[in-house]
Amino acid sequence: MYALSKLNITLDDKSILKKFIGPPLAKSFMKYFDFTEDRAKEAVAYCQEYMREKGVYEAPLYDGIKEVLETLFHKRKRVFIATSKPEEFANQIIKHLHIEDFFEGIVGANLDGTQTDKAEVIKLLLEKYAITEKSKVVMVGDREHDILGAISNNIDSVGVLYGYGERAELVLAGATHIIERPAELPDIIKMREKFAGEL
């Protein structure tokens, strides 16, 4: 909304903005507002301006997420963030929320708009942290881009319904598992480990 106002665009129906959560912003501006690439970059710059000043301090944690992170941490699971959003902002957000100690690392987009494709981000994360046993990796996300990015890298995925995606989107994308609440995640991971051990 901040970026659109800066570009003198008024929006009567704000429901379209829900579709912006997840995919790279520039692509969404071009898709839903028919922006040129240059205008989309300008809009993204305004978004980053807002994020830098206010946005990184406005993101709340989903209920139950911290408890799940604590559980995974105590079970010595390696947890990372793979995001299409700027890595700089992701780092600021988790520090503001006091959950940075639960993550071993983050790989995200660059501020110049490059490295936003989720499949590319996941691939870079796997390479950066020398993760080669893909059968032990699972991507957790709420949008189709997370699921498709996982498939592209030959890893399993967990589609979550407590985010912004819908069940139909996650099923169509090919999610390996779908959960409704964060508390279900440790059980999914435990189940996968048991299954892998029996093979």
Side-chain angles (χ1 to χ4, degrees):
M1 287 301 299
Y2 177 83
L4 292 173
S5 67
K6 285 286 189 178
L7 296 170
N8 297 314
I9 295 174
T10 56
L11 202 59
D12 295 325
D13 182 7
K14 297 178 184 177
S15 62
I16 189 69
L17 298 181
K18 186 177 180 182
K19 298 180 184 292
F20 276 64
I21 300 173
L25 281 174
K27 291 183 180 178
S28 293
F29 278 119
M30 289 188 281
K31 180 177 181 179
Y32 299 113
F33 288 94
D34 201 28
F35 281 6
T36 63
E37 187 173 340
D38 286 342
R39 192 163 171 79
K41 286 181 180 179
E42 184 181 4
V44 170
Y46 284 129
C47 288
Q48 291 178 355
E49 179 178 283
Y50 183 88
M51 282 297 295
R52 190 172 286 108
E53 295 176 3
K54 297 180 180 180
V56 293
Y57 307 111
E58 295 177 335
L61 274 177
Y62 288 118
D63 290 339
I65 283 292
K66 189 167 186 178
E67 290 78 5
V68 168
L69 290 172
E70 288 173 343
T71 297
L72 296 176
F73 181 79
H74 291 305
K75 289 181 179 292
R76 300 189 179 188
K77 302 302 178 187
R78 301 177 72 190
V79 182
F80 303 86
I81 293 175
T83 177
S84 295
K85 300 301 179 282
E87 189 173 315
E88 175 185 320
F89 296 153
N91 272 297
Q92 288 178 271
I93 290 170
I94 64 170
K95 287 177 182 176
H96 174 68
L97 295 172
H98 306 294
I99 57 172
E100 70 273 21
D101 291 341
F102 298 123
F103 296 98
E104 186 173 331
I106 297 177
V107 173
N110 299 314
L111 286 171
D112 64 4
T114 58
Q115 200 171 290
T116 60
D117 179 74
K118 185 55 69 75
E120 178 188 7
V121 170
I122 295 172
K123 181 176 184 290
L124 289 169
L125 189 149
L126 294 172
E127 291 173 352
K128 180 177 181 179
Y129 293 97
I131 300 170
T132 56
E133 294 185 73
K134 292 186 177 182
S135 64
K136 295 184 178 181
V137 180
V138 62
M139 174 68 192
V140 181
D142 65 343
R143 298 302 307 272
E144 64 178 351
H145 306 82
D146 302 306
I147 308 306
L148 296 173
I151 291 172
S152 177
N153 284 281
N154 299 309
I155 60 175
D156 284 350
S157 60
V158 177
V160 303
L161 298 177
Y162 53 83
Y164 289 90
E166 298 178 354
R167 183 180 292 274
E169 173 186 345
L170 297 170
V171 169
L172 188 62
T176 313
H177 309 278
I178 295 179
I179 62 174
E180 295 184 354
R181 299 175 295 107
E184 298 174 64
L185 188 56
D187 288 338
I188 287 288
I189 292 173
K190 185 177 180 181
M191 179 187 75
R192 291 178 73 255
E193 289 173 343
K194 182 177 184 296
F195 181 68
E198 292 174 347
L199 291 178

